[in-house]
Each structure stands twice: as C-alpha cells, then as structure tokens.
C-alpha cells in the first residue's frame, strides 16, 4: 500500500507546488513593479489640457515611481478610443490613462454605445489636477458681467461655441442655460481650436472651455472673460468672478484630470501608483508649472476615495445630461 500511495503523495505535492507558482510569480512581479516603462495614455491630441497635464507630470512621476513614463496620445471620440484601449490592456500597471471629466463621467450619459464602463472596466488611482471652465465673450458683445449677459439672452439668442457635442464644455453651456433660463444656444465645433477661432472672429457670441485654452486670448484682449464655473476664483485670473457672484445659481463645471488603470490591477500596484502620483502633484516645480496655466493640484485621500468621487460625478452629470437632452451622437 505504501508503494501505491508514495507516487500519489509525490503527485499531490508537485501539483500543489505548481498551483502555488503563479501566485508566487504574481507577487514577485508586484514587488518588482515597475521594472519597465509605464505608458500614460492620453485620449486627446497633443496640445490639449489633458496632454499638457500629462507632460507636466511625466518627468517627476518617472522619478517617484522609479521607471520611465511615456506619454502616448490615442485621440478620438472624445477620448473614448484611448480610454477603451487602456480598459482592454493587461491589468499590470504598465498601461494607464490620464482621463478627465468628459470621457469618465459625462460620455457614459451622452454616448449611446460606450465600449467600456468606467466603474467596472477601470480602477481609479487618483485625481491629479483641476481647472474651471471659463465663460468668455467676443469684446463686441454688449455684456461686461454675467448678469448683463443673462439679461442680453432674455432679448435675443446668445450663441456659445464648444469643443464638441457631449463633452464638459457642452454640458457647462447647458448648465448656464438651465441656471439663467435665457436663450443660450450651443454651437459645437470639432475641437477647441476652431471653437476659439470663431469666438475671436465674432462668428459666435462667446465660448465655454477649459480656462487654460482661453488664457492667452483673454490676456491679449481678443476675448472678454465673464466668469469661471467654480466655487472660487482662479489664481491666474483673480479679477474674474465666479458664476455664483453674478447672483445666479452656481454653474459648477470644473474639469478634473485623473489617472486610471485597467480593472483587476493588483492593489499593491495601485497603491504604488497612487503614492508616486500624490508625491508628483505635491512637488513645488509641478505645482508652479500647473499654476502658470490656471490648473490647480487636486488629489484624493486614497484610491477608494477617488472611486466614491467618480460615482458622485457620474450621478451629477447624468442628471444634467437628462435635463438638457445633451447627446454626443
């Protein structure tokens, strides 16, 4: 009998060891993370707010995480293409995305066929920065303040350009329309560039997009800043009031930027990424670079806290999308 059981015992031991190997290898891989370059995917073209934030963070992020961080642009469909690419990537921490409010909290409500679920197919690391939307008008528009602009919208259509249907600027325009009850008309463009060009040229009355995209035009007097859509004034435009200071319900539409990884990325890897990102955002040189563009550091107490923030934002923007009927397609 002993001769019969000895090979069986050997087989059982060998099987147990084999079963343990993947877990051991996985744990070792997490301990070694990162051992090769990390790709930080941006779903927008070079030059936009997401791309600017990613390239400001990347060098210092590389220092704190201990590996090269390569910014990779995969633009298309309001960042849905790039974000979906990350959601389908291996959950090992080497392919992550710098997303923002539009693709992560708004697009799920404005696109009819989303290829990913931001809560199920991605895991949040943390937000890293925020910037308000800026309400600006062509200097020829007879309105110096938001109350004056709202009064004008009660007498005629006031046209506002945005970078496209279904994104944060579009929803900010809808929020202004809801809050003011004025004749606010949304005019979508294919990107912030042409939207700004037509606002400067007077083909539309005004524009609402991320503050950094309009900073130069306002500084040069080509556009007049009316208000920021946040609870506090922007440091780079301290003379520009918030929407709440105009006596209207607050038009709260700040853009936040966040890093996410594929779902099932191991917790130790998520925690390493989180720690390095917070250190990056808190570094004085990164803060200074962001501040010059009107972008503020904005991190979460933990990856779990970011998950709760995401849920809140999805609910909030879902309500706006339904109330306005805004669609991207």
């Amino acid at each position: 009998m002993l001769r019969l059981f000895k090979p069986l015992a050997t087989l059982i031991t060998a099987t147990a060891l084999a079963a343990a190997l993947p877990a051991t290898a996985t744990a070792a891989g997490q301990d070694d993370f990162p051992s090769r370059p990390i790709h930080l995917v941006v779903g927008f073209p070079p030059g936009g707010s997401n791309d600017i934030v990613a390239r400001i963070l990347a060098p210092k992020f590389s220092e704190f995480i201990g590996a090269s961080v390569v910014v990779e642009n995969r633009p298309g469909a309001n960042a849905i293409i790039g974000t979906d690419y990350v959601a389908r990537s291996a959950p090992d921490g080497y392919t992550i995305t710098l997303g923002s409010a539009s693709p992560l909290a708004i697009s799920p409500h404005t696109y009819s066929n989303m290829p990913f679920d931001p809560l199920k197919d991605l895991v949040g690391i943390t937000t890293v920065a925020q910037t308000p939307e800026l309400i600006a008008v062509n200097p020829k528009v007879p309105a110096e303040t938001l109350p004056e602009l709202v009064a004008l919208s009660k007498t005629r259509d006031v046209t506002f350009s945005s970078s496209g249907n279904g994104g944060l600027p579009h929803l900010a325009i809808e929020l202004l329309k809801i809050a003011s009850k004025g004749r606010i008309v949304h005019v979508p463009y294919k990107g912030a560039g042409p939207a700004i060009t037509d606002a400067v040229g007077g083909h539309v009355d005004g524009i609402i997009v991320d503050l950094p995209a309009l900073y130069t035009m306002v500084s040069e007097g080509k556009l007049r800043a009316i208000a920021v859509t946040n609870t506090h004034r922007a440091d780079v435009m301290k003379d520009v009031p918030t929407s709440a200071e105009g006596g209207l319900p607050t038009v709260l539409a700040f853009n936040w930027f966040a890093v996410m990884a594929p779902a099932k990325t191991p917790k130790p890897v998520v925690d390493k990424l989180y720690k390095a990102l917070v250190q990056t955002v808190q570094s004085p040189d990164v803060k200074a670079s962001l501040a010059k563009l009107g972008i503020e550091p904005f991190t979460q107490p933990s990856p779990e806290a970011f998950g709760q923030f995401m849920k809140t934002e999805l609910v909030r923007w879902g309500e706006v999308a339904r109330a306005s009927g805004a669609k991207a397609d």
Side-chain angles (χ1 to χ4, degrees), residues 44 50 78 98-109 127 129 131 133 166-169 210 253-258 309-310 313-314 316-317:
F44 294 96
N50 285 60
N78 197 29
L98 180 79
S100 52
S102 286
L104 297 176
I106 295 175
S107 291
H109 306 293
T127 51
T131 189
E133 300 300 281
L168 177 60
D210 288 2
F254 65 92
N255 194 9
W256 45 263
F257 306 90
F309 172 82
M310 272 283 296
E313 285 290 278
L314 278 161
R316 184 166 78 91
W317 287 115

PDB file of all heavy atoms in Angstrom, residues 44 50 78 98-109 127 129 131 133 166-169 210 253-258 309-310 313-314 316-317:
ATOM      1  N   PHE A  44      -6.657  62.415 -26.017  1.00  0.00           N
ATOM      2  CA  PHE A  44      -6.829  63.628 -26.812  1.00  0.00           C
ATOM      3  C   PHE A  44      -5.544  63.928 -27.579  1.00  0.00           C
ATOM      4  O   PHE A  44      -4.476  63.447 -27.216  1.00  0.00           O
ATOM      5  CB  PHE A  44      -7.176  64.812 -25.906  1.00  0.00           C
ATOM      6  CG  PHE A  44      -8.503  64.692 -25.221  1.00  0.00           C
ATOM      7  CD1 PHE A  44      -8.600  64.196 -23.926  1.00  0.00           C
ATOM      8  CD2 PHE A  44      -9.672  65.071 -25.870  1.00  0.00           C
ATOM      9  CE1 PHE A  44      -9.821  64.086 -23.288  1.00  0.00           C
ATOM     10  CE2 PHE A  44     -10.906  64.960 -25.239  1.00  0.00           C
ATOM     11  CZ  PHE A  44     -10.987  64.462 -23.952  1.00  0.00           C
ATOM     12  N   ASN A  50      -5.551  67.807 -21.365  1.00  0.00           N
ATOM     13  CA  ASN A  50      -5.109  66.504 -20.861  1.00  0.00           C
ATOM     14  C   ASN A  50      -3.656  66.249 -21.204  1.00  0.00           C
ATOM     15  O   ASN A  50      -2.868  65.775 -20.375  1.00  0.00           O
ATOM     16  CB  ASN A  50      -5.980  65.381 -21.446  1.00  0.00           C
ATOM     17  CG  ASN A  50      -7.344  65.311 -20.813  1.00  0.00           C
ATOM     18  OD1 ASN A  50      -8.112  66.276 -20.870  1.00  0.00           O
ATOM     19  ND2 ASN A  50      -7.680  64.194 -20.203  1.00  0.00           N
ATOM     20  N   ASN A  78     -13.835  61.872 -28.333  1.00  0.00           N
ATOM     21  CA  ASN A  78     -13.856  62.480 -27.000  1.00  0.00           C
ATOM     22  C   ASN A  78     -13.121  61.608 -25.983  1.00  0.00           C
ATOM     23  O   ASN A  78     -13.575  61.426 -24.852  1.00  0.00           O
ATOM     24  CB  ASN A  78     -15.296  62.740 -26.546  1.00  0.00           C
ATOM     25  CG  ASN A  78     -15.359  63.731 -25.390  1.00  0.00           C
ATOM     26  OD1 ASN A  78     -14.512  64.602 -25.259  1.00  0.00           O
ATOM     27  ND2 ASN A  78     -16.368  63.588 -24.551  1.00  0.00           N
ATOM     28  N   LEU A  98      -4.506  59.056 -18.408  1.00  0.00           N
ATOM     29  CA  LEU A  98      -4.841  60.321 -17.768  1.00  0.00           C
ATOM     30  C   LEU A  98      -6.146  60.775 -18.405  1.00  0.00           C
ATOM     31  O   LEU A  98      -6.155  61.327 -19.509  1.00  0.00           O
ATOM     32  CB  LEU A  98      -3.753  61.376 -17.969  1.00  0.00           C
ATOM     33  CG  LEU A  98      -4.095  62.713 -17.299  1.00  0.00           C
ATOM     34  CD1 LEU A  98      -3.809  62.633 -15.799  1.00  0.00           C
ATOM     35  CD2 LEU A  98      -3.310  63.867 -17.899  1.00  0.00           C
ATOM     36  N   GLY A  99      -7.243  60.507 -17.724  1.00  0.00           N
ATOM     37  CA  GLY A  99      -8.561  60.878 -18.226  1.00  0.00           C
ATOM     38  C   GLY A  99      -9.039  62.179 -17.602  1.00  0.00           C
ATOM     39  O   GLY A  99      -8.315  62.848 -16.878  1.00  0.00           O
ATOM     40  N   SER A 100     -10.268  62.510 -17.883  1.00  0.00           N
ATOM     41  CA  SER A 100     -10.845  63.742 -17.339  1.00  0.00           C
ATOM     42  C   SER A 100     -12.358  63.593 -17.254  1.00  0.00           C
ATOM     43  O   SER A 100     -12.919  62.532 -17.558  1.00  0.00           O
ATOM     44  CB  SER A 100     -10.461  64.944 -18.214  1.00  0.00           C
ATOM     45  OG  SER A 100     -10.767  64.709 -19.567  1.00  0.00           O
ATOM     46  N   ALA A 101     -13.013  64.657 -16.829  1.00  0.00           N
ATOM     47  CA  ALA A 101     -14.454  64.583 -16.573  1.00  0.00           C
ATOM     48  C   ALA A 101     -15.251  64.140 -17.796  1.00  0.00           C
ATOM     49  O   ALA A 101     -16.192  63.344 -17.675  1.00  0.00           O
ATOM     50  CB  ALA A 101     -14.957  65.943 -16.091  1.00  0.00           C
ATOM     51  N   SER A 102     -14.884  64.628 -18.979  1.00  0.00           N
ATOM     52  CA  SER A 102     -15.680  64.303 -20.171  1.00  0.00           C
ATOM     53  C   SER A 102     -15.765  62.807 -20.454  1.00  0.00           C
ATOM     54  O   SER A 102     -16.855  62.240 -20.483  1.00  0.00           O
ATOM     55  CB  SER A 102     -15.137  65.048 -21.396  1.00  0.00           C
ATOM     56  OG  SER A 102     -15.478  66.406 -21.341  1.00  0.00           O
ATOM     57  N   PRO A 103     -14.645  62.106 -20.686  1.00  0.00           N
ATOM     58  CA  PRO A 103     -14.765  60.689 -21.030  1.00  0.00           C
ATOM     59  C   PRO A 103     -15.156  59.795 -19.865  1.00  0.00           C
ATOM     60  O   PRO A 103     -15.749  58.734 -20.062  1.00  0.00           O
ATOM     61  CB  PRO A 103     -13.361  60.328 -21.542  1.00  0.00           C
ATOM     62  CG  PRO A 103     -12.460  61.295 -20.866  1.00  0.00           C
ATOM     63  CD  PRO A 103     -13.241  62.570 -20.779  1.00  0.00           C
ATOM     64  N   LEU A 104     -14.850  60.210 -18.633  1.00  0.00           N
ATOM     65  CA  LEU A 104     -15.058  59.326 -17.489  1.00  0.00           C
ATOM     66  C   LEU A 104     -16.403  59.527 -16.781  1.00  0.00           C
ATOM     67  O   LEU A 104     -16.950  58.579 -16.229  1.00  0.00           O
ATOM     68  CB  LEU A 104     -13.916  59.509 -16.479  1.00  0.00           C
ATOM     69  CG  LEU A 104     -12.518  59.135 -16.990  1.00  0.00           C
ATOM     70  CD1 LEU A 104     -11.478  59.460 -15.934  1.00  0.00           C
ATOM     71  CD2 LEU A 104     -12.461  57.663 -17.386  1.00  0.00           C
ATOM     72  N   ALA A 105     -16.936  60.746 -16.785  1.00  0.00           N
ATOM     73  CA  ALA A 105     -18.177  61.000 -16.041  1.00  0.00           C
ATOM     74  C   ALA A 105     -19.321  61.519 -16.894  1.00  0.00           C
ATOM     75  O   ALA A 105     -20.484  61.419 -16.490  1.00  0.00           O
ATOM     76  CB  ALA A 105     -17.903  62.001 -14.911  1.00  0.00           C
ATOM     77  N   ILE A 106     -19.012  62.049 -18.087  1.00  0.00           N
ATOM     78  CA  ILE A 106     -20.060  62.629 -18.929  1.00  0.00           C
ATOM     79  C   ILE A 106     -20.399  61.747 -20.119  1.00  0.00           C
ATOM     80  O   ILE A 106     -21.581  61.495 -20.410  1.00  0.00           O
ATOM     81  CB  ILE A 106     -19.646  64.038 -19.396  1.00  0.00           C
ATOM     82  CG1 ILE A 106     -19.545  64.981 -18.197  1.00  0.00           C
ATOM     83  CG2 ILE A 106     -20.641  64.582 -20.416  1.00  0.00           C
ATOM     84  CD1 ILE A 106     -19.039  66.369 -18.521  1.00  0.00           C
ATOM     85  N   SER A 107     -19.401  61.254 -20.820  1.00  0.00           N
ATOM     86  CA  SER A 107     -19.646  60.426 -22.010  1.00  0.00           C
ATOM     87  C   SER A 107     -20.553  59.229 -21.758  1.00  0.00           C
ATOM     88  O   SER A 107     -21.353  58.871 -22.631  1.00  0.00           O
ATOM     89  CB  SER A 107     -18.317  59.961 -22.611  1.00  0.00           C
ATOM     90  OG  SER A 107     -17.616  61.060 -23.168  1.00  0.00           O
ATOM     91  N   PRO A 108     -20.477  58.576 -20.575  1.00  0.00           N
ATOM     92  CA  PRO A 108     -21.401  57.462 -20.335  1.00  0.00           C
ATOM     93  C   PRO A 108     -22.875  57.852 -20.441  1.00  0.00           C
ATOM     94  O   PRO A 108     -23.734  56.989 -20.647  1.00  0.00           O
ATOM     95  CB  PRO A 108     -21.054  57.014 -18.911  1.00  0.00           C
ATOM     96  CG  PRO A 108     -19.610  57.361 -18.763  1.00  0.00           C
ATOM     97  CD  PRO A 108     -19.467  58.675 -19.501  1.00  0.00           C
ATOM     98  N   HIS A 109     -23.166  59.157 -20.329  1.00  0.00           N
ATOM     99  CA  HIS A 109     -24.549  59.629 -20.407  1.00  0.00           C
ATOM    100  C   HIS A 109     -24.882  60.269 -21.759  1.00  0.00           C
ATOM    101  O   HIS A 109     -26.055  60.455 -22.066  1.00  0.00           O
ATOM    102  CB  HIS A 109     -24.810  60.663 -19.301  1.00  0.00           C
ATOM    103  CG  HIS A 109     -24.479  60.175 -17.934  1.00  0.00           C
ATOM    104  ND1 HIS A 109     -25.180  59.166 -17.304  1.00  0.00           N
ATOM    105  CD2 HIS A 109     -23.498  60.549 -17.070  1.00  0.00           C
ATOM    106  CE1 HIS A 109     -24.655  58.949 -16.108  1.00  0.00           C
ATOM    107  NE2 HIS A 109     -23.636  59.771 -15.941  1.00  0.00           N
ATOM    108  N   THR A 127      -7.418  61.562  -8.674  1.00  0.00           N
ATOM    109  CA  THR A 127      -7.400  62.782  -9.464  1.00  0.00           C
ATOM    110  C   THR A 127      -6.038  63.441  -9.232  1.00  0.00           C
ATOM    111  O   THR A 127      -5.398  63.216  -8.193  1.00  0.00           O
ATOM    112  CB  THR A 127      -8.513  63.755  -9.037  1.00  0.00           C
ATOM    113  OG1 THR A 127      -8.453  63.932  -7.609  1.00  0.00           O
ATOM    114  CG2 THR A 127      -9.889  63.251  -9.416  1.00  0.00           C
ATOM    115  N   ALA A 129      -5.395  66.915 -10.876  1.00  0.00           N
ATOM    116  CA  ALA A 129      -5.493  68.360 -11.089  1.00  0.00           C
ATOM    117  C   ALA A 129      -6.911  68.744 -11.468  1.00  0.00           C
ATOM    118  O   ALA A 129      -7.733  67.881 -11.807  1.00  0.00           O
ATOM    119  CB  ALA A 129      -4.517  68.800 -12.186  1.00  0.00           C
ATOM    120  N   THR A 131      -9.265  72.333 -13.243  1.00  0.00           N
ATOM    121  CA  THR A 131      -9.316  73.689 -13.769  1.00  0.00           C
ATOM    122  C   THR A 131     -10.768  74.023 -14.085  1.00  0.00           C
ATOM    123  O   THR A 131     -11.524  73.145 -14.502  1.00  0.00           O
ATOM    124  CB  THR A 131      -8.442  73.833 -15.034  1.00  0.00           C
ATOM    125  OG1 THR A 131      -8.354  75.215 -15.401  1.00  0.00           O
ATOM    126  CG2 THR A 131      -9.000  73.054 -16.209  1.00  0.00           C
ATOM    127  N   GLU A 133     -14.029  75.744 -16.082  1.00  0.00           N
ATOM    128  CA  GLU A 133     -14.390  76.225 -17.403  1.00  0.00           C
ATOM    129  C   GLU A 133     -14.479  77.750 -17.306  1.00  0.00           C
ATOM    130  O   GLU A 133     -14.811  78.305 -16.248  1.00  0.00           O
ATOM    131  CB  GLU A 133     -15.735  75.653 -17.845  1.00  0.00           C
ATOM    132  CG  GLU A 133     -15.778  74.129 -17.914  1.00  0.00           C
ATOM    133  CD  GLU A 133     -14.760  73.559 -18.891  1.00  0.00           C
ATOM    134  OE1 GLU A 133     -15.025  73.579 -20.104  1.00  0.00           O
ATOM    135  OE2 GLU A 133     -13.698  73.102 -18.428  1.00  0.00           O
ATOM    136  N   GLY A 166     -21.423  66.678 -26.401  1.00  0.00           N
ATOM    137  CA  GLY A 166     -21.338  65.635 -25.392  1.00  0.00           C
ATOM    138  C   GLY A 166     -20.204  65.717 -24.411  1.00  0.00           C
ATOM    139  O   GLY A 166     -20.068  64.852 -23.546  1.00  0.00           O
ATOM    140  N   GLY A 167     -19.374  66.757 -24.478  1.00  0.00           N
ATOM    141  CA  GLY A 167     -18.265  66.895 -23.539  1.00  0.00           C
ATOM    142  C   GLY A 167     -18.574  67.885 -22.439  1.00  0.00           C
ATOM    143  O   GLY A 167     -19.675  68.446 -22.356  1.00  0.00           O
ATOM    144  N   LEU A 168     -17.587  68.145 -21.582  1.00  0.00           N
ATOM    145  CA  LEU A 168     -17.776  69.052 -20.454  1.00  0.00           C
ATOM    146  C   LEU A 168     -18.169  70.466 -20.883  1.00  0.00           C
ATOM    147  O   LEU A 168     -19.107  71.036 -20.318  1.00  0.00           O
ATOM    148  CB  LEU A 168     -16.511  69.083 -19.587  1.00  0.00           C
ATOM    149  CG  LEU A 168     -16.539  70.038 -18.397  1.00  0.00           C
ATOM    150  CD1 LEU A 168     -17.669  69.694 -17.434  1.00  0.00           C
ATOM    151  CD2 LEU A 168     -15.203  70.026 -17.671  1.00  0.00           C
ATOM    152  N   PRO A 169     -17.498  71.087 -21.879  1.00  0.00           N
ATOM    153  CA  PRO A 169     -17.919  72.430 -22.285  1.00  0.00           C
ATOM    154  C   PRO A 169     -19.384  72.487 -22.736  1.00  0.00           C
ATOM    155  O   PRO A 169     -20.097  73.452 -22.421  1.00  0.00           O
ATOM    156  CB  PRO A 169     -16.962  72.765 -23.437  1.00  0.00           C
ATOM    157  CG  PRO A 169     -15.740  71.972 -23.129  1.00  0.00           C
ATOM    158  CD  PRO A 169     -16.256  70.680 -22.572  1.00  0.00           C
ATOM    159  N   ASP A 210     -12.126  74.899 -21.147  1.00  0.00           N
ATOM    160  CA  ASP A 210     -11.164  74.956 -20.043  1.00  0.00           C
ATOM    161  C   ASP A 210     -10.445  76.297 -20.039  1.00  0.00           C
ATOM    162  O   ASP A 210     -10.027  76.801 -21.082  1.00  0.00           O
ATOM    163  CB  ASP A 210     -10.112  73.851 -20.195  1.00  0.00           C
ATOM    164  CG  ASP A 210     -10.679  72.471 -19.916  1.00  0.00           C
ATOM    165  OD1 ASP A 210     -11.888  72.365 -19.635  1.00  0.00           O
ATOM    166  OD2 ASP A 210      -9.897  71.493 -19.980  1.00  0.00           O
ATOM    167  N   ALA A 253     -18.817  73.606 -13.043  1.00  0.00           N
ATOM    168  CA  ALA A 253     -18.401  72.751 -14.149  1.00  0.00           C
ATOM    169  C   ALA A 253     -16.881  72.792 -14.297  1.00  0.00           C
ATOM    170  O   ALA A 253     -16.357  73.224 -15.316  1.00  0.00           O
ATOM    171  CB  ALA A 253     -19.069  73.190 -15.448  1.00  0.00           C
ATOM    172  N   PHE A 254     -16.184  72.383 -13.236  1.00  0.00           N
ATOM    173  CA  PHE A 254     -14.727  72.362 -13.342  1.00  0.00           C
ATOM    174  C   PHE A 254     -14.286  71.029 -13.950  1.00  0.00           C
ATOM    175  O   PHE A 254     -14.908  69.990 -13.744  1.00  0.00           O
ATOM    176  CB  PHE A 254     -14.071  72.581 -11.979  1.00  0.00           C
ATOM    177  CG  PHE A 254     -14.323  71.496 -10.962  1.00  0.00           C
ATOM    178  CD1 PHE A 254     -13.449  70.421 -10.836  1.00  0.00           C
ATOM    179  CD2 PHE A 254     -15.429  71.554 -10.116  1.00  0.00           C
ATOM    180  CE1 PHE A 254     -13.666  69.432  -9.903  1.00  0.00           C
ATOM    181  CE2 PHE A 254     -15.657  70.556  -9.175  1.00  0.00           C
ATOM    182  CZ  PHE A 254     -14.775  69.492  -9.067  1.00  0.00           C
ATOM    183  N   ASN A 255     -13.223  71.101 -14.719  1.00  0.00           N
ATOM    184  CA  ASN A 255     -12.675  69.891 -15.333  1.00  0.00           C
ATOM    185  C   ASN A 255     -11.635  69.296 -14.394  1.00  0.00           C
ATOM    186  O   ASN A 255     -10.759  70.010 -13.908  1.00  0.00           O
ATOM    187  CB  ASN A 255     -12.034  70.209 -16.684  1.00  0.00           C
ATOM    188  CG  ASN A 255     -11.765  68.953 -17.498  1.00  0.00           C
ATOM    189  OD1 ASN A 255     -12.193  67.865 -17.141  1.00  0.00           O
ATOM    190  ND2 ASN A 255     -11.057  69.101 -18.604  1.00  0.00           N
ATOM    191  N   TRP A 256     -11.735  68.017 -14.121  1.00  0.00           N
ATOM    192  CA  TRP A 256     -10.726  67.337 -13.311  1.00  0.00           C
ATOM    193  C   TRP A 256     -10.013  66.297 -14.157  1.00  0.00           C
ATOM    194  O   TRP A 256     -10.558  65.751 -15.109  1.00  0.00           O
ATOM    195  CB  TRP A 256     -11.350  66.700 -12.066  1.00  0.00           C
ATOM    196  CG  TRP A 256     -12.629  65.939 -12.284  1.00  0.00           C
ATOM    197  CD1 TRP A 256     -13.901  66.401 -12.096  1.00  0.00           C
ATOM    198  CD2 TRP A 256     -12.761  64.571 -12.717  1.00  0.00           C
ATOM    199  NE1 TRP A 256     -14.816  65.425 -12.388  1.00  0.00           N
ATOM    200  CE2 TRP A 256     -14.140  64.283 -12.769  1.00  0.00           C
ATOM    201  CE3 TRP A 256     -11.858  63.564 -13.051  1.00  0.00           C
ATOM    202  CZ2 TRP A 256     -14.635  63.034 -13.152  1.00  0.00           C
ATOM    203  CZ3 TRP A 256     -12.336  62.319 -13.432  1.00  0.00           C
ATOM    204  CH2 TRP A 256     -13.718  62.065 -13.478  1.00  0.00           C
ATOM    205  N   PHE A 257      -8.771  66.078 -13.814  1.00  0.00           N
ATOM    206  CA  PHE A 257      -7.921  65.130 -14.528  1.00  0.00           C
ATOM    207  C   PHE A 257      -7.562  64.010 -13.563  1.00  0.00           C
ATOM    208  O   PHE A 257      -7.226  64.265 -12.407  1.00  0.00           O
ATOM    209  CB  PHE A 257      -6.663  65.820 -15.039  1.00  0.00           C
ATOM    210  CG  PHE A 257      -6.954  67.045 -15.863  1.00  0.00           C
ATOM    211  CD1 PHE A 257      -7.060  68.298 -15.260  1.00  0.00           C
ATOM    212  CD2 PHE A 257      -7.150  66.956 -17.232  1.00  0.00           C
ATOM    213  CE1 PHE A 257      -7.340  69.432 -16.005  1.00  0.00           C
ATOM    214  CE2 PHE A 257      -7.438  68.085 -17.994  1.00  0.00           C
ATOM    215  CZ  PHE A 257      -7.540  69.314 -17.376  1.00  0.00           C
ATOM    216  N   ALA A 258      -7.652  62.774 -14.028  1.00  0.00           N
ATOM    217  CA  ALA A 258      -7.448  61.638 -13.136  1.00  0.00           C
ATOM    218  C   ALA A 258      -6.720  60.505 -13.846  1.00  0.00           C
ATOM    219  O   ALA A 258      -6.827  60.345 -15.060  1.00  0.00           O
ATOM    220  CB  ALA A 258      -8.796  61.132 -12.622  1.00  0.00           C
ATOM    221  N   PHE A 309     -15.713  59.517  -5.399  1.00  0.00           N
ATOM    222  CA  PHE A 309     -15.803  60.777  -6.146  1.00  0.00           C
ATOM    223  C   PHE A 309     -16.329  60.514  -7.548  1.00  0.00           C
ATOM    224  O   PHE A 309     -17.198  61.246  -8.051  1.00  0.00           O
ATOM    225  CB  PHE A 309     -14.423  61.432  -6.205  1.00  0.00           C
ATOM    226  CG  PHE A 309     -14.345  62.637  -7.114  1.00  0.00           C
ATOM    227  CD1 PHE A 309     -14.771  63.883  -6.674  1.00  0.00           C
ATOM    228  CD2 PHE A 309     -13.838  62.526  -8.406  1.00  0.00           C
ATOM    229  CE1 PHE A 309     -14.697  64.998  -7.508  1.00  0.00           C
ATOM    230  CE2 PHE A 309     -13.761  63.633  -9.247  1.00  0.00           C
ATOM    231  CZ  PHE A 309     -14.195  64.867  -8.793  1.00  0.00           C
ATOM    232  N   MET A 310     -15.831  59.471  -8.198  1.00  0.00           N
ATOM    233  CA  MET A 310     -16.279  59.105  -9.540  1.00  0.00           C
ATOM    234  C   MET A 310     -17.779  58.817  -9.564  1.00  0.00           C
ATOM    235  O   MET A 310     -18.500  59.265 -10.453  1.00  0.00           O
ATOM    236  CB  MET A 310     -15.508  57.886 -10.034  1.00  0.00           C
ATOM    237  CG  MET A 310     -14.210  58.214 -10.744  1.00  0.00           C
ATOM    238  SD  MET A 310     -14.498  58.817 -12.430  1.00  0.00           S
ATOM    239  CE  MET A 310     -15.231  57.363 -13.175  1.00  0.00           C
ATOM    240  N   GLU A 313     -19.708  62.076  -9.359  1.00  0.00           N
ATOM    241  CA  GLU A 313     -19.645  62.829 -10.605  1.00  0.00           C
ATOM    242  C   GLU A 313     -20.523  62.195 -11.690  1.00  0.00           C
ATOM    243  O   GLU A 313     -21.174  62.903 -12.467  1.00  0.00           O
ATOM    244  CB  GLU A 313     -18.195  62.931 -11.083  1.00  0.00           C
ATOM    245  CG  GLU A 313     -17.348  63.901 -10.302  1.00  0.00           C
ATOM    246  CD  GLU A 313     -17.761  65.353 -10.560  1.00  0.00           C
ATOM    247  OE1 GLU A 313     -17.328  65.913 -11.580  1.00  0.00           O
ATOM    248  OE2 GLU A 313     -18.518  65.909  -9.748  1.00  0.00           O
ATOM    249  N   LEU A 314     -20.543  60.876 -11.753  1.00  0.00           N
ATOM    250  CA  LEU A 314     -21.383  60.187 -12.735  1.00  0.00           C
ATOM    251  C   LEU A 314     -22.859  60.497 -12.500  1.00  0.00           C
ATOM    252  O   LEU A 314     -23.614  60.741 -13.443  1.00  0.00           O
ATOM    253  CB  LEU A 314     -21.145  58.679 -12.676  1.00  0.00           C
ATOM    254  CG  LEU A 314     -19.921  58.177 -13.444  1.00  0.00           C
ATOM    255  CD1 LEU A 314     -19.507  56.793 -12.960  1.00  0.00           C
ATOM    256  CD2 LEU A 314     -20.216  58.140 -14.942  1.00  0.00           C
ATOM    257  N   ARG A 316     -24.076  63.209 -10.887  1.00  0.00           N
ATOM    258  CA  ARG A 316     -24.306  64.643 -11.122  1.00  0.00           C
ATOM    259  C   ARG A 316     -24.431  64.960 -12.603  1.00  0.00           C
ATOM    260  O   ARG A 316     -25.375  65.634 -13.034  1.00  0.00           O
ATOM    261  CB  ARG A 316     -23.164  65.463 -10.503  1.00  0.00           C
ATOM    262  CG  ARG A 316     -23.362  66.955 -10.599  1.00  0.00           C
ATOM    263  CD  ARG A 316     -22.386  67.676  -9.689  1.00  0.00           C
ATOM    264  NE  ARG A 316     -21.050  67.746 -10.242  1.00  0.00           N
ATOM    265  CZ  ARG A 316     -20.606  68.751 -11.012  1.00  0.00           C
ATOM    266  NH1 ARG A 316     -21.436  69.738 -11.338  1.00  0.00           N
ATOM    267  NH2 ARG A 316     -19.375  68.783 -11.452  1.00  0.00           N
ATOM    268  N   TRP A 317     -23.495  64.475 -13.400  1.00  0.00           N
ATOM    269  CA  TRP A 317     -23.530  64.781 -14.826  1.00  0.00           C
ATOM    270  C   TRP A 317     -24.635  64.018 -15.549  1.00  0.00           C
ATOM    271  O   TRP A 317     -25.138  64.475 -16.573  1.00  0.00           O
ATOM    272  CB  TRP A 317     -22.168  64.525 -15.455  1.00  0.00           C
ATOM    273  CG  TRP A 317     -21.171  65.563 -15.056  1.00  0.00           C
ATOM    274  CD1 TRP A 317     -20.038  65.385 -14.305  1.00  0.00           C
ATOM    275  CD2 TRP A 317     -21.223  66.965 -15.349  1.00  0.00           C
ATOM    276  NE1 TRP A 317     -19.391  66.587 -14.107  1.00  0.00           N
ATOM    277  CE2 TRP A 317     -20.099  67.568 -14.748  1.00  0.00           C
ATOM    278  CE3 TRP A 317     -22.115  67.760 -16.067  1.00  0.00           C
ATOM    279  CZ2 TRP A 317     -19.845  68.933 -14.845  1.00  0.00           C
ATOM    280  CZ3 TRP A 317     -21.868  69.123 -16.157  1.00  0.00           C
ATOM    281  CH2 TRP A 317     -20.744  69.697 -15.553  1.00  0.00           C
TER     282      TRP A 317
END
